[in-house]
Structures are given as C-alpha cells and as structure tokens.
Amino acid sequence: MQFNGDAHYQCSPEAFVEISTTPGFVAERIGPLLKDPVIENPQQSAVSAWGLINPEVVPAKVRSLVANKARVEYDEVWTQVAPGEFRAKCTLAVKGLPVSAEFTQTVTAVSGDLNQCQWHVDGDYHVLIPLIGRSAENTIFEHLEQAFERDRRIVNNWLIGHAGEYPIAQ
C-alpha cells in the first residue's frame, strides 16, 4: 500500500538531516516499535537501527507471530540533491516476517527563509502474510496518520529541547 505525508519545520534542511540521523532522536522516533533498539551512524548523513519488534504495537491477530522472533531493520541514507534540498532513501524490513517498506523523504528549504523547511515522505509498504496480510496492511494504514502527527511532535519537541544547537526560524 502507498502512503505519504508532509510537514513544515522551523529549522534548516541541513539541521533536519542532522536531527534525523542523531541516535537519540532515532531512539525517540522508533522507541515504541522496538524492544532495546540498536542505533548506529554507519556513515555521515545516515542512520541504521534494528531490534526485536515490540509485540504490543502490532495487531492482536499477528502478535503470536512476532513475539521474540521478528527483527526490524531500518536504514536511512540522506544525500544533498540541490542547494537547500536533501533526499533520503529509507528501507524497513522485518526479518522473520514478510513485511517491508521502502520510502523516500525529501526536505527542502522554504523560499525566503533558509531556517525553515518542508518535509515530505512518500513510499510503499507490504505485508505478505496469507489470510491476514491485507487486514494488517489496513491496520497499518489506519495508524500512519497518527504516526505522522507523532513524528511532527517529536521533531518540534526535539527542536525546543535542543534550542541553540540548530539554526531555527524566529
């Protein structure tokens, strides 16, 4: 299934990329999804995270399939595509289950103020489990809007909590 989302942030695109690849931020962002996540920066402007999925975040009918078995692996790699514009290729795979997602994040400077940016995400996810895969995809889709809103709050709270570390719009 396809998904997309947009948000506006009071920071530069460069700051957004830096924030997005900071291990503490990533732990806050994906914390509820994984039990004891491991987060690394394999290269500049990149982040990887993995760990066992928290069974409490998946639909009840699939919980027994994931309990202490499903390992989530996430990679996010940013590149600058133009002045004030960055793009990340992101992949998420669940080892032990036929679940995956591939998406692109784009962040661009807002015209007239380089300390503001527009973020956009666009991608696809798949749950290929016989009999319940479509139902699980629909459940995930229902939660994506809540996840985007949660992500907006996390970024904004991060900017407030780290005031002075990143150039922000006044």
Side-chain angles (χ1 to χ4, degrees), residues 22-82:
T22 298
F25 174 79
V26 175
E28 199 171 318
R29 192 181 216 183
I30 66 168
L33 179 63
L34 302 177
K35 294 189 304 185
D36 304 319
V38 175
I39 301 164
E40 310 184 313
N41 296 102
Q43 64 190 47
Q44 186 175 1
S45 299
V47 68
S48 294
W50 64 89
L52 292 178
I53 195 164
N54 178 356
E56 296 185 18
V57 300
V58 298
K61 56 182 130 187
V62 238
R63 217 169 268 153
S64 64
L65 293 172
V66 300
N68 297 316
K69 300 177 214 169
R71 176 183 154 119
V72 175
E73 296 180 356
Y74 175 73
D75 291 300
E76 177 178 312
V77 180
W78 288 91
T79 55
Q80 186 168 8
V81 294

Side-chain angles (χ1 to χ4, degrees), residues 81-103:
V81 294
E85 182 177 353
F86 296 82
R87 187 165 295 128
K89 282 302 255 182
C90 307
T91 58
L92 183 138
V94 181
K95 304 297 181 187
L97 288 176
V99 176
S100 63
E102 292 185 0
F103 56 99

Side-chain angles (χ1 to χ4, degrees), residues 113-160:
D113 189 344
L114 297 178
N115 288 327
Q116 293 188 56
C117 65
Q118 183 68 34
W119 170 82
H120 177 76
V121 64
D122 189 32
D124 293 292
Y125 62 94
H126 306 283
V127 180
L128 303 171
I129 302 171
L131 304 176
I132 61 171
R134 193 63 165 164
S135 171
E137 280 186 346
N138 290 335
T139 301
I140 292 167
F141 189 77
E142 292 170 9
H143 292 287
L144 275 175
E145 188 156 314
Q146 294 170 1
F148 287 135
E149 185 55 39
R150 180 182 175 277
D151 213 48
R152 284 185 200 105
R153 283 192 312 273
I154 290 171
V155 173
N156 288 326
N157 289 339
W158 186 270
L159 287 168
I160 291 167

